[in-house]
PDB file of all heavy atoms in Angstrom:
ATOM      1  N   TYR C 239      25.401 -66.575  -2.523  1.00 90.00           N
ATOM      2  CA  TYR C 239      26.844 -66.307  -2.515  1.00 90.00           C
ATOM      3  C   TYR C 239      27.588 -67.588  -2.131  1.00 90.00           C
ATOM      4  O   TYR C 239      27.016 -68.476  -1.489  1.00 90.00           O
ATOM      5  CB  TYR C 239      27.186 -65.225  -1.464  1.00 90.00           C
ATOM      6  CG  TYR C 239      26.419 -63.946  -1.621  1.00 90.00           C
ATOM      7  CD1 TYR C 239      25.206 -63.760  -0.947  1.00 90.00           C
ATOM      8  CD2 TYR C 239      26.860 -62.934  -2.447  1.00 90.00           C
ATOM      9  CE1 TYR C 239      24.481 -62.597  -1.089  1.00 90.00           C
ATOM     10  CE2 TYR C 239      26.137 -61.758  -2.603  1.00 90.00           C
ATOM     11  CZ  TYR C 239      24.951 -61.595  -1.918  1.00 90.00           C
ATOM     12  OH  TYR C 239      24.224 -60.452  -2.043  1.00 90.00           O
ATOM     13  N   SER C 240      28.866 -67.654  -2.505  1.00 88.00           N
ATOM     14  CA  SER C 240      29.619 -68.866  -2.123  1.00 88.00           C
ATOM     15  C   SER C 240      30.251 -68.666  -0.749  1.00 88.00           C
ATOM     16  O   SER C 240      30.538 -69.631  -0.065  1.00 88.00           O
ATOM     17  CB  SER C 240      30.718 -69.126  -3.163  1.00 88.00           C
ATOM     18  OG  SER C 240      31.615 -68.027  -3.153  1.00 88.00           O
ATOM     19  N   LYS C 241      30.498 -67.444  -0.301  1.00 85.00           N
ATOM     20  CA  LYS C 241      31.231 -67.297   0.978  1.00 85.00           C
ATOM     21  C   LYS C 241      30.328 -66.829   2.112  1.00 85.00           C
ATOM     22  O   LYS C 241      30.716 -66.860   3.264  1.00 85.00           O
ATOM     23  CB  LYS C 241      32.366 -66.264   0.796  1.00 85.00           C
ATOM     24  CG  LYS C 241      33.580 -66.786   0.028  1.00 85.00           C
ATOM     25  CD  LYS C 241      34.693 -65.738   0.107  1.00 85.00           C
ATOM     26  CE  LYS C 241      35.925 -66.236  -0.653  1.00 85.00           C
ATOM     27  NZ  LYS C 241      36.924 -65.136  -0.759  1.00 85.00           N
ATOM     28  N   VAL C 242      29.153 -66.293   1.765  1.00 85.00           N
ATOM     29  CA  VAL C 242      28.292 -65.772   2.840  1.00 85.00           C
ATOM     30  C   VAL C 242      26.889 -66.309   2.631  1.00 85.00           C
ATOM     31  O   VAL C 242      26.573 -66.889   1.587  1.00 85.00           O
ATOM     32  CB  VAL C 242      28.253 -64.228   2.820  1.00 85.00           C
ATOM     33  CG1 VAL C 242      29.537 -63.652   3.387  1.00 85.00           C
ATOM     34  CG2 VAL C 242      27.967 -63.728   1.441  1.00 85.00           C
ATOM     35  N   LEU C 243      26.042 -66.072   3.637  1.00 87.00           N
ATOM     36  CA  LEU C 243      24.668 -66.606   3.542  1.00 87.00           C
ATOM     37  C   LEU C 243      23.927 -65.883   2.416  1.00 87.00           C
ATOM     38  O   LEU C 243      24.232 -64.738   2.093  1.00 87.00           O
ATOM     39  CB  LEU C 243      23.951 -66.364   4.872  1.00 87.00           C
ATOM     40  CG  LEU C 243      24.553 -67.155   6.066  1.00 87.00           C
ATOM     41  CD1 LEU C 243      23.880 -66.732   7.369  1.00 87.00           C
ATOM     42  CD2 LEU C 243      24.354 -68.653   5.802  1.00 87.00           C
ATOM     43  N   PRO C 244      22.933 -66.541   1.822  1.00 90.00           N
ATOM     44  CA  PRO C 244      22.190 -65.872   0.723  1.00 90.00           C
ATOM     45  C   PRO C 244      21.403 -64.679   1.242  1.00 90.00           C
ATOM     46  O   PRO C 244      21.202 -64.496   2.439  1.00 90.00           O
ATOM     47  CB  PRO C 244      21.268 -66.977   0.215  1.00 90.00           C
ATOM     48  CG  PRO C 244      21.274 -68.044   1.235  1.00 90.00           C
ATOM     49  CD  PRO C 244      22.518 -67.915   2.047  1.00 90.00           C
ATOM     50  N   ALA C 245      20.997 -63.824   0.292  1.00 91.00           N
ATOM     51  CA  ALA C 245      20.239 -62.613   0.679  1.00 91.00           C
ATOM     52  C   ALA C 245      19.015 -62.526  -0.232  1.00 91.00           C
ATOM     53  O   ALA C 245      18.963 -63.152  -1.290  1.00 91.00           O
ATOM     54  CB  ALA C 245      21.104 -61.372   0.470  1.00 91.00           C
ATOM     55  N   MET C 246      18.023 -61.761   0.234  1.00 93.00           N
ATOM     56  CA  MET C 246      16.793 -61.604  -0.559  1.00 93.00           C
ATOM     57  C   MET C 246      16.587 -60.119  -0.834  1.00 93.00           C
ATOM     58  O   MET C 246      16.699 -59.284   0.068  1.00 93.00           O
ATOM     59  CB  MET C 246      15.595 -62.152   0.240  1.00 93.00           C
ATOM     60  CG  MET C 246      14.319 -62.192  -0.580  1.00 93.00           C
ATOM     61  SD  MET C 246      14.582 -63.229  -2.041  1.00 93.00           S
ATOM     62  CE  MET C 246      13.015 -63.085  -2.831  1.00 93.00           C
ATOM     63  N   GLU C 247      16.317 -59.800  -2.100  1.00 94.00           N
ATOM     64  CA  GLU C 247      16.073 -58.394  -2.470  1.00 94.00           C
ATOM     65  C   GLU C 247      14.674 -58.318  -3.059  1.00 94.00           C
ATOM     66  O   GLU C 247      14.248 -59.226  -3.785  1.00 94.00           O
ATOM     67  CB  GLU C 247      17.116 -57.948  -3.499  1.00 94.00           C
ATOM     68  CG  GLU C 247      16.971 -56.507  -3.939  1.00 94.00           C
ATOM     69  CD  GLU C 247      17.995 -56.159  -5.037  1.00 94.00           C
ATOM     70  OE1 GLU C 247      18.722 -57.077  -5.480  1.00 94.00           O
ATOM     71  OE2 GLU C 247      18.038 -54.988  -5.436  1.00 94.00           O
ATOM     72  N   ALA C 248      13.943 -57.256  -2.726  1.00 94.00           N
ATOM     73  CA  ALA C 248      12.579 -57.117  -3.282  1.00 94.00           C
ATOM     74  C   ALA C 248      12.388 -55.659  -3.675  1.00 94.00           C
ATOM     75  O   ALA C 248      12.953 -54.749  -3.058  1.00 94.00           O
ATOM     76  CB  ALA C 248      11.549 -57.487  -2.224  1.00 94.00           C
ATOM     77  N   GLU C 249      11.624 -55.430  -4.742  1.00 94.00           N
ATOM     78  CA  GLU C 249      11.307 -54.052  -5.145  1.00 94.00           C
ATOM     79  C   GLU C 249       9.871 -54.041  -5.658  1.00 94.00           C
ATOM     80  O   GLU C 249       9.523 -54.808  -6.553  1.00 94.00           O
ATOM     81  CB  GLU C 249      12.264 -53.588  -6.242  1.00 94.00           C
ATOM     82  CG  GLU C 249      12.043 -52.127  -6.602  1.00 94.00           C
ATOM     83  CD  GLU C 249      12.851 -51.724  -7.833  1.00 94.00           C
ATOM     84  OE1 GLU C 249      12.558 -52.266  -8.913  1.00 94.00           O
ATOM     85  OE2 GLU C 249      13.772 -50.911  -7.688  1.00 94.00           O
ATOM     86  N   TYR C 250       9.039 -53.181  -5.023  1.00 95.00           N
ATOM     87  CA  TYR C 250       7.620 -53.074  -5.431  1.00 95.00           C
ATOM     88  C   TYR C 250       7.421 -51.698  -6.042  1.00 95.00           C
ATOM     89  O   TYR C 250       7.852 -50.689  -5.457  1.00 95.00           O
ATOM     90  CB  TYR C 250       6.701 -53.241  -4.216  1.00 95.00           C
ATOM     91  CG  TYR C 250       5.248 -52.948  -4.514  1.00 95.00           C
ATOM     92  CD1 TYR C 250       4.451 -53.902  -5.165  1.00 95.00           C
ATOM     93  CD2 TYR C 250       4.678 -51.707  -4.201  1.00 95.00           C
ATOM     94  CE1 TYR C 250       3.121 -53.638  -5.481  1.00 95.00           C
ATOM     95  CE2 TYR C 250       3.361 -51.435  -4.509  1.00 95.00           C
ATOM     96  CZ  TYR C 250       2.584 -52.400  -5.147  1.00 95.00           C
ATOM     97  OH  TYR C 250       1.281 -52.116  -5.452  1.00 95.00           O
ATOM     98  N   ARG C 251       6.804 -51.610  -7.216  1.00 94.00           N
ATOM     99  CA  ARG C 251       6.600 -50.297  -7.843  1.00 94.00           C
ATOM    100  C   ARG C 251       5.121 -50.146  -8.174  1.00 94.00           C
ATOM    101  O   ARG C 251       4.474 -51.106  -8.589  1.00 94.00           O
ATOM    102  CB  ARG C 251       7.408 -50.202  -9.154  1.00 94.00           C
ATOM    103  CG  ARG C 251       8.902 -50.299  -8.921  1.00 94.00           C
ATOM    104  CD  ARG C 251       9.667 -50.142 -10.209  1.00 94.00           C
ATOM    105  NE  ARG C 251       9.191 -51.067 -11.236  1.00 94.00           N
ATOM    106  CZ  ARG C 251       9.658 -51.058 -12.482  1.00 94.00           C
ATOM    107  NH1 ARG C 251      10.550 -50.161 -12.834  1.00 94.00           N
ATOM    108  NH2 ARG C 251       9.231 -51.923 -13.381  1.00 94.00           N
ATOM    109  N   GLU C 252       4.588 -48.921  -8.005  1.00 94.00           N
ATOM    110  CA  GLU C 252       3.171 -48.696  -8.358  1.00 94.00           C
ATOM    111  C   GLU C 252       3.007 -47.306  -8.969  1.00 94.00           C
ATOM    112  O   GLU C 252       3.619 -46.333  -8.529  1.00 94.00           O
ATOM    113  CB  GLU C 252       2.281 -48.806  -7.105  1.00 94.00           C
ATOM    114  CG  GLU C 252       0.822 -48.458  -7.415  1.00 94.00           C
ATOM    115  CD  GLU C 252      -0.150 -48.958  -6.349  1.00 94.00           C
ATOM    116  OE1 GLU C 252       0.302 -49.713  -5.459  1.00 94.00           O
ATOM    117  OE2 GLU C 252      -1.327 -48.603  -6.402  1.00 94.00           O
ATOM    118  N   LEU C 253       2.158 -47.274  -9.999  1.00 93.00           N
ATOM    119  CA  LEU C 253       1.837 -45.995 -10.656  1.00 93.00           C
ATOM    120  C   LEU C 253       0.386 -45.691 -10.303  1.00 93.00           C
ATOM    121  O   LEU C 253      -0.507 -46.494 -10.591  1.00 93.00           O
ATOM    122  CB  LEU C 253       1.976 -46.190 -12.179  1.00 93.00           C
ATOM    123  CG  LEU C 253       1.986 -44.926 -13.037  1.00 93.00           C
ATOM    124  CD1 LEU C 253       3.212 -44.095 -12.694  1.00 93.00           C
ATOM    125  CD2 LEU C 253       2.032 -45.315 -14.517  1.00 93.00           C
ATOM    126  N   THR C 254       0.150 -44.573  -9.583  1.00 93.00           N
ATOM    127  CA  THR C 254      -1.248 -44.262  -9.250  1.00 93.00           C
ATOM    128  C   THR C 254      -1.680 -43.063 -10.105  1.00 93.00           C
ATOM    129  O   THR C 254      -0.855 -42.478 -10.826  1.00 93.00           O
ATOM    130  CB  THR C 254      -1.348 -43.855  -7.765  1.00 93.00           C
ATOM    131  OG1 THR C 254      -0.637 -42.596  -7.645  1.00 93.00           O
ATOM    132  CG2 THR C 254      -0.689 -44.879  -6.867  1.00 93.00           C
ATOM    133  N   SER C 255      -2.947 -42.690  -9.973  1.00 93.00           N
ATOM    134  CA  SER C 255      -3.415 -41.570 -10.817  1.00 93.00           C
ATOM    135  C   SER C 255      -2.709 -40.285 -10.400  1.00 93.00           C
ATOM    136  O   SER C 255      -2.563 -39.363 -11.187  1.00 93.00           O
ATOM    137  CB  SER C 255      -4.922 -41.418 -10.648  1.00 93.00           C
ATOM    138  OG  SER C 255      -5.159 -41.174  -9.270  1.00 93.00           O
ATOM    139  N   LEU C 256      -2.238 -40.195  -9.157  1.00 93.00           N
ATOM    140  CA  LEU C 256      -1.640 -38.936  -8.686  1.00 93.00           C
ATOM    141  C   LEU C 256      -0.135 -38.937  -8.872  1.00 93.00           C
ATOM    142  O   LEU C 256       0.487 -37.890  -8.916  1.00 93.00           O
ATOM    143  CB  LEU C 256      -1.954 -38.742  -7.192  1.00 93.00           C
ATOM    144  CG  LEU C 256      -3.424 -38.438  -6.874  1.00 93.00           C
ATOM    145  CD1 LEU C 256      -3.605 -38.379  -5.377  1.00 93.00           C
ATOM    146  CD2 LEU C 256      -3.817 -37.111  -7.509  1.00 93.00           C
ATOM    147  N   GLY C 257       0.482 -40.108  -8.961  1.00 93.00           N
ATOM    148  CA  GLY C 257       1.948 -40.105  -9.065  1.00 93.00           C
ATOM    149  C   GLY C 257       2.444 -41.541  -9.033  1.00 93.00           C
ATOM    150  O   GLY C 257       1.708 -42.460  -9.434  1.00 93.00           O
ATOM    151  N   ALA C 258       3.652 -41.727  -8.538  1.00 94.00           N
ATOM    152  CA  ALA C 258       4.207 -43.090  -8.540  1.00 94.00           C
ATOM    153  C   ALA C 258       5.069 -43.237  -7.301  1.00 94.00           C
ATOM    154  O   ALA C 258       5.600 -42.249  -6.774  1.00 94.00           O
ATOM    155  CB  ALA C 258       5.067 -43.312  -9.782  1.00 94.00           C
ATOM    156  N   TYR C 259       5.201 -44.488  -6.811  1.00 95.00           N
ATOM    157  CA  TYR C 259       6.115 -44.699  -5.689  1.00 95.00           C
ATOM    158  C   TYR C 259       6.765 -46.066  -5.824  1.00 95.00           C
ATOM    159  O   TYR C 259       6.287 -46.937  -6.560  1.00 95.00           O
ATOM    160  CB  TYR C 259       5.378 -44.558  -4.353  1.00 95.00           C
ATOM    161  CG  TYR C 259       4.366 -45.632  -4.049  1.00 95.00           C
ATOM    162  CD1 TYR C 259       4.723 -46.785  -3.347  1.00 95.00           C
ATOM    163  CD2 TYR C 259       3.050 -45.509  -4.490  1.00 95.00           C
ATOM    164  CE1 TYR C 259       3.791 -47.777  -3.081  1.00 95.00           C
ATOM    165  CE2 TYR C 259       2.113 -46.490  -4.230  1.00 95.00           C
ATOM    166  CZ  TYR C 259       2.492 -47.628  -3.528  1.00 95.00           C
ATOM    167  OH  TYR C 259       1.572 -48.600  -3.288  1.00 95.00           O
ATOM    168  N   LYS C 260       7.855 -46.221  -5.091  1.00 95.00           N
ATOM    169  CA  LYS C 260       8.642 -47.464  -5.195  1.00 95.00           C
ATOM    170  C   LYS C 260       9.121 -47.817  -3.790  1.00 95.00           C
ATOM    171  O   LYS C 260       9.524 -46.936  -3.044  1.00 95.00           O
ATOM    172  CB  LYS C 260       9.841 -47.194  -6.121  1.00 95.00           C
ATOM    173  CG  LYS C 260      10.746 -48.372  -6.333  1.00 95.00           C
ATOM    174  CD  LYS C 260      11.800 -48.012  -7.382  1.00 95.00           C
ATOM    175  CE  LYS C 260      13.009 -47.367  -6.728  1.00 95.00           C
ATOM    176  NZ  LYS C 260      14.186 -47.398  -7.610  1.00 95.00           N
ATOM    177  N   VAL C 261       9.049 -49.074  -3.439  1.00 96.00           N
ATOM    178  CA  VAL C 261       9.531 -49.519  -2.122  1.00 96.00           C
ATOM    179  C   VAL C 261      10.481 -50.688  -2.378  1.00 96.00           C
ATOM    180  O   VAL C 261      10.147 -51.591  -3.154  1.00 96.00           O
ATOM    181  CB  VAL C 261       8.339 -49.980  -1.237  1.00 96.00           C
ATOM    182  CG1 VAL C 261       8.868 -50.433   0.122  1.00 96.00           C
ATOM    183  CG2 VAL C 261       7.338 -48.862  -1.072  1.00 96.00           C
TER     184      VAL C 261
END
Side-chain angles (χ1 to χ4, degrees):
Chain C
Y239 305 91
S240 62
K241 284 188 180 171
V242 284
L243 294 174
M246 187 59 181
E247 181 184 5
E249 185 188 65
Y250 172 79
R251 297 183 307 176
E252 175 162 352
L253 193 64
T254 67
S255 59
L256 290 176
Y259 68 91
K260 180 174 88 162
V261 180

